[in-house]
Structure formats: structure tokens, C-alpha cells
Amino acid sequence: MLMADSKTPYDVIIVGAGVAGCSLAHALASTPRKTPLRIALIERSMEEPDRIVGELLQPGGVMALQQLGLEDCLEGIDSIPVHGYCVTRKDNIVHIPYPSQHKGRSFHHGKFIMNLRDTAKKANGVEVIEATVNDLIESEFSQRIIGVAATKKTGSDSEKLSLYAHLVIVADGCFSNFRTKVMGPRGCNPVTKSHFVGVILNDATLPYKYHGTVCLTESAGPVLLYQIGTHDTRMLVDVKAPVPPDLKGHILNRIVPQLPSMLHTAVTDAVQEGSFRKMPNSFLPSVMQGGNEFGTKEGVFLVGDAWNMRHPLTGGGMTVAFNDIVLLRNMLAPVENFAVWEKVREGLRQWHWDRKPLASTVNILSVALYDLFGADDDNLEVLRTGCFKYFELGGECINGPVSLLSVTIQSPATLFYHFFAVAFYSIWVMFTHPRLVQRGPGLKPELITPSFIDYPFLFVKALFVIWTAIVVFVPLLWTEIRWWSPDDKNARTTIIFRYGMPVAALATVAFGAFRLTF
């Protein structure tokens, strides 16, 4: 630990001591250098945080944590091994184990963060400062960010601090106060897909022990459950806007009857207590950073949820963050002087693309899977039914998707293949599998297998289903392969969006059909 000296510039100031900030401070401090870095890690409150997300780390994230030398942070916090998933529709269950005995971990978020903070504090050259960052300080000559203005509380008094560094890294999370200032007018605004309402179940019995559970519901979003302690199981209920004013009634009357029967008592007891927590499920594509060339500030950049977010349904956020830090550490290692912005900018450009295989896979999968599992129209319902039955096929129909989910493979191409394999298999299911049909008012629905008379209608519907799959997947893919902000109004963006998207859509269908056929 170093003593504070606001007159001497730091090499790096990191704003935010969460998942990304703590791991980055430790990673930079642990990188061998001729002269050790002087790092300031600033956090508004060093008390244990209480959040309902960031509680499940996929196997790919565990591997990244090991590369950072932070695997001990998973110990001593009553963390639970995670061996895979299961997907349920009422009492119908599909088991989806992780491949090759890979293992994730789940835990109380706050306990994990406190371990990360303790490790960062012990790193050579890291000074942890409990203060609120109010603003980024710009050079009056170049508008480059050269430090931060903060307020530190000392008892009942407040102390104003001006801290300076060659490089400022903002890792202040999904509700970032500095995203707009760093990114400028070309920065993206987060899109809130829905909300997760969280509650803790006591001594609940899940369909498969040490497995995450995704429960599909009719006319409502998915429900996610996973054990986070010896006696605690987290339940996250997806709720679309507008959030019902009576959450207790919504969950008890609409959600609980659609869960596996073994969960009814534990869920009902937890919901009756009414201690709900709510978090927005936001999507924020990454945009190139590195200074005026990209419309962003010099001397500063964003990491973690301040820069890039995906739907938390797949539990991939921390895995992306830790992988980003591994790559960022390697990128910054050869930069001797962070005051030389050209070197940092060159590294940021390379980092932006080096992270794409993993980050793009997780980002696209999270939103695409949510759109399927949270189906809110008839075509998406066809895809959701097909997805469930695709998993029931077993073999590669499980190994491929769960390898993507666990982030043990990083391949947007593999995700592309399985997504459209599900789309085409959904059509096969629609033509060949019995479905509930209500013959008339007051009559009970019957299971009816489609006949030749139904085929013309189903053929037309199949075209809409494929188009729906394209509309879900291709725009997500586009957000990952573009190299400028979607808010950019210049001509090339307009041309590509207007003419490139239909071409990409047709290529998607053709490629998917080819792979499924051969």
C-alpha cells in the first residue's frame, strides 16, 4: 500500500473497484516492469455491495480468472460448483451438462467482490482510495483527460481531491456516470430489454443439483435459478416493461404454476416474504475507443459494463470482463509510458478486435437466447419450441450450444450455425409434431398432428419464422462487426444498413440451409 500524494501523478487511475476495476488493478500491478506502476483504485464505498447479478461465473470465466492469478478469490465465500444447466417447461426437463467436465462457480456477489478488493489492495503499487469521483479533469490545452476530481469523506467532513495520472480507466459499471463524457456524441445508449426481479430461496431443491435452471414460461419471461450458497438459491424472474405494480401477485399467480412442482413451496415461501430486488437487463454494444479519431476522449477509456453489456440470462458478463482484462494486460504490458497516447491508442484498437471472438459470442448468444426464451409472438414461440426440442436431440445439439454458453469455445460462426439449425429444426417440428388445437369455443384443446391440408399455411408461416430468426440474429451480429457507432449518420452507415442488411440476411439463410442439408 502506498500513501496518497496528490501532487505526484499516478501512472493509472482506475475509477470503480468492482469486477473489472479490481482485476485490472491487480493485473497491471502484477505485470513485470522495469519500474513498478503506481495505480490509484478509487471506489465510492468499500462496504460489501449487495446486487442480484454477477453471481454466476461460467467455466470460461474461471479459466480467465486463473490466467489473472485470481482464482483464490473464489475460495472462502461458500461458493458453489456449477456443472451445467437444465431447461424446463413445467415438469418437462432437458439436462445440459458442461462438456469435458468443465466447472463454473456461483456465489454471493458481494463476498466475491470483497475478495477481489482485498487482493487488489495487496498488489504492489496499488493505492485504494474511498472517494466519490465527481468529474474527469481535462487538460486546458488539448482536452485530453489527465485526472479525476473526487470527494473523500473523513468523518463528518469532506475533502476535495484532484488526482492526476497518465491514463484514466473508467470501470464504474452499468450505471456509469462518465460513459457519455468519454465516448462523446458517437457513444451508444444502453437499451433495456427487461428487468430481473431477484429473490433468495431457502434450502430449495433444484431439478439437477449444482446446475443452473432456466424455466420457460408461457406469456412471460424466463426464470433463472442457481445456488449461490449452502442454503441460498437465487431466483431471477424476467419481467417486461411496464413492471407490474403487484410483483408478489404476478409471481405467485403467473409464474409459480409454470415452475417444476419441486420448487413451488420454496418459491412461494420466499415470495410471500416480499424482499424483492430489481435490476435492468441492458444491452450496450462496444464501440471503438482511442481518441479523437473515433470521437472519444484521449487519455481515458472504458472497461466492463461501463462500455459493453449483454443480457444477464446466460451469466456471461463477468467472463467477458475477465477475458477483457487478460487481453488488456497483455496489450498494455509493452507500453513503457502511458503518457504516450499513440502507443495506448494502437493497443486499444488491437484489443477491440482481439476480444471479439469471445465477447461477440457471449453478447449475441445472450440477447438471441433471451428473445427465444422470452418469446412474445407466435413466430418466436415456434422458435422457442424448436429450441427446446433441439436440446432434446442430445449429442452435438447440446454439446455445441452449451460450449458456447460456458464460453469454453469462442466462435460466432458456431453460434451462427446452431442458431439457424434451431430455426430450421423448428420448422420441421412445426410440420411434423402434434400441437394443441382448440376445435371450437368451450372445447378442450387437442393434440393434433398437421395434415397435408395444413401444409400451405405452414409453408407461409415457415417463411415468417425464418425471417424472424434473421431479424433476431443478423442485427446482433451487425453490432459486433461494425467499426463505428450506430448513431453515426454518415453516408456509408446509411448505405450499409439500407443495402447490406438484406444481403447479409439472404446469405445467412443460404449458409444455414447449406450446413443443415450437407
Side-chain angles (χ1 to χ4, degrees):
M1 296 268 305
L2 295 175
M3 297 299 294
D5 179 5
S6 60
K7 295 180 181 178
T8 304
Y10 296 94
D11 293 290
V12 183
I13 291 175
I14 300 173
V15 180
V19 168
C22 288
S23 56
L24 179 57
H26 178 270
L28 293 178
S30 304
T31 303
R33 286 177 174 270
K34 294 178 182 178
T35 303
L37 293 174
R38 189 158 187 256
I39 302 168
L41 178 60
I42 307 176
E43 171 59 40
R44 179 182 57 200
S45 172
M46 294 303 291
E47 293 182 1
E48 183 176 313
D50 181 16
R51 297 184 63 196
I52 64 171
V53 293
E55 298 174 316
L56 190 149
L57 186 62
Q58 296 288 2
V62 174
M63 291 187 284
L65 207 60
Q66 291 168 347
Q67 293 181 60
L68 292 168
L70 292 170
E71 62 270 26
D72 288 346
C73 292
L74 294 169
E75 306 304 328
I77 56 173
D78 193 24
S79 66
I80 303 297
V82 181
H83 297 292
Y85 277 81
C86 71
V87 180
T88 76
R89 299 184 79 177
K90 293 189 178 179
D91 286 310
N92 297 319
I93 301 172
V94 177
H95 182 211
I96 308 177
Y98 288 143
S100 306
Q101 298 184 331
H102 285 293
K103 182 173 67 175
R105 297 288 278 273
S106 55
F107 37 73
H108 282 274
H109 174 82
K111 293 179 180 179
F112 179 56
I113 292 298
M114 295 307 286
N115 272 2
L116 286 174
R117 288 176 178 175
D118 287 342
T119 304
K121 286 178 184 178
K122 296 172 185 175
N124 183 36
V126 175
E127 178 184 351
V128 177
I129 302 171
E130 187 171 11
T132 299
V133 176
N134 304 311
D135 202 0
L136 305 179
I137 301 174
E138 291 187 14
S139 167
E140 56 183 303
F141 304 107
S142 64
Q143 294 188 330
R144 171 176 173 155
I145 301 300
I146 57 174
V148 301
T151 303
K152 183 178 181 179
K153 283 205 169 185
T154 308
S156 58
D157 297 328
S158 296
E159 179 186 359
K160 298 292 184 181
L161 300 176
S162 294
L163 304 173
Y164 297 91
H166 300 310
L167 180 63
V168 176
I169 303 174
V170 176
D172 60 344
C174 58
F175 301 112
S176 175
N177 293 316
F178 306 107
R179 183 184 294 126
T180 302
K181 184 160 187 177
V182 174
M183 301 304 297
R186 302 179 73 185
C188 303
N189 293 316
V191 175
T192 299
K193 304 286 290 185
S194 61
H195 287 79
F196 262 151
V197 175
V199 66
I200 291 180
L201 314 183
N202 184 46
D203 290 326
T205 300
L206 296 176
Y208 283 89
K209 191 174 183 180
Y210 302 139
H211 283 65
T213 303
V214 181
C215 303
L216 306 185
T217 64
E218 301 290 338
S219 303
V223 177
L224 181 60
L225 302 103
Y226 47 90
Q227 193 175 353
I228 58 174
T230 302
H231 300 286
D232 295 342
T233 296
R234 170 67 70 193
M235 181 176 78
L236 297 172
V237 179
D238 182 79
V239 179
K240 294 182 175 65
V243 176
D246 181 14
L247 278 173
K248 181 185 292 188
H250 171 78
I251 295 174
L252 290 176
N253 299 325
R254 295 193 59 189
I255 303 300
V256 173
Q258 302 190 63
L259 301 180
S261 54
M262 65 180 67
L263 288 166
H264 287 185
T265 299
V267 173
T268 300
D269 290 346
V271 171
Q272 291 288 7
E273 292 181 9
S275 55
F276 301 122
R277 298 289 305 282
K278 187 177 69 173
M279 280 287 292
N281 298 327
S282 300
F283 177 62
L284 178 65
S286 60
V287 176
M288 186 81 77
Q289 303 181 84
N292 293 331
E293 178 185 354
F294 306 110
T296 60
K297 293 287 186 182
E298 292 188 1
V300 63
F301 62 89
L302 306 170
V303 297
D305 285 349
W307 178 49
N308 184 208
M309 287 186 279
R310 72 290 310 152
H311 199 285
L313 175 65
T314 59
M318 288 191 295
T319 297
V320 173
F322 287 131
N323 181 71
D324 281 355
I325 300 308
V326 170
L327 297 174
L328 196 55
R329 174 195 62 184
N330 299 339
M331 180 274 286
L332 291 175
V335 181
E336 291 293 333
N337 185 355
F338 293 153
V340 183
W341 180 247
E342 289 73 18
K343 291 290 185 182
V344 176
R345 178 172 54 193
E346 181 181 333
L348 286 176
R349 185 197 299 266
Q350 187 62 42
W351 175 58
H352 181 84
W353 295 110
D354 285 350
R355 66 186 294 276
K356 283 295 181 181
L358 186 146
S360 296
T361 300
V362 174
N363 293 347
I364 296 170
L365 176 64
S366 70
V367 182
L369 205 58
Y370 172 73
D371 285 343
L372 263 60
F373 285 175
D376 56 4
D377 69 31
D378 193 41
N379 295 324
L380 284 170
E381 177 60 33
V382 171
L383 290 170
R384 180 170 73 168
T385 300
C387 183
F388 189 85
K389 292 189 176 295
Y390 186 78
F391 292 151
E392 288 181 328
L393 295 175
E396 185 56 26
C397 296
I398 281 182
N399 290 336
V402 79
S403 295
L404 296 166
L405 182 67
S406 63
V407 205
T408 52
I409 63 171
Q410 310 167 16
S411 173
T414 302
L415 173 58
F416 177 97
Y417 166 70
H418 282 287
F419 185 86
F420 282 94
V422 166
F424 283 97
Y425 186 69
S426 299
I427 292 171
W428 170 258
V429 168
M430 186 175 66
F431 272 86
T432 60
H433 288 224
R435 68 186 190 280
L436 281 175
V437 175
Q438 189 163 6
R439 294 296 193 182
L443 298 177
K444 289 184 65 176
E446 301 176 60
L447 277 174
I448 305 294
T449 302
S451 64
F452 285 107
I453 299 175
D454 301 311
Y455 284 179
F457 168 76
L458 293 178
F459 178 77
V460 174
K461 187 173 182 178
L463 297 178
F464 282 102
V465 170
I466 289 296
W467 180 250
T468 299
I470 292 169
V471 169
V472 167
F473 191 89
V474 174
L476 293 173
L477 178 63
W478 180 248
T479 64
E480 296 296 330
I481 64 173
R482 61 174 170 74
W483 61 93
W484 60 86
S485 166
D487 294 329
D488 193 349
K489 303 302 182 183
N490 64 27
R492 67 178 177 179
T493 306
T494 304
I495 290 171
I496 292 179
F497 265 97
R498 183 173 297 171
Y499 302 109
M501 290 292 287
V503 173
L506 292 173
T508 298
V509 175
F511 181 76
F514 176 82
R515 291 295 299 270
L516 282 172
T517 305
F518 300 101

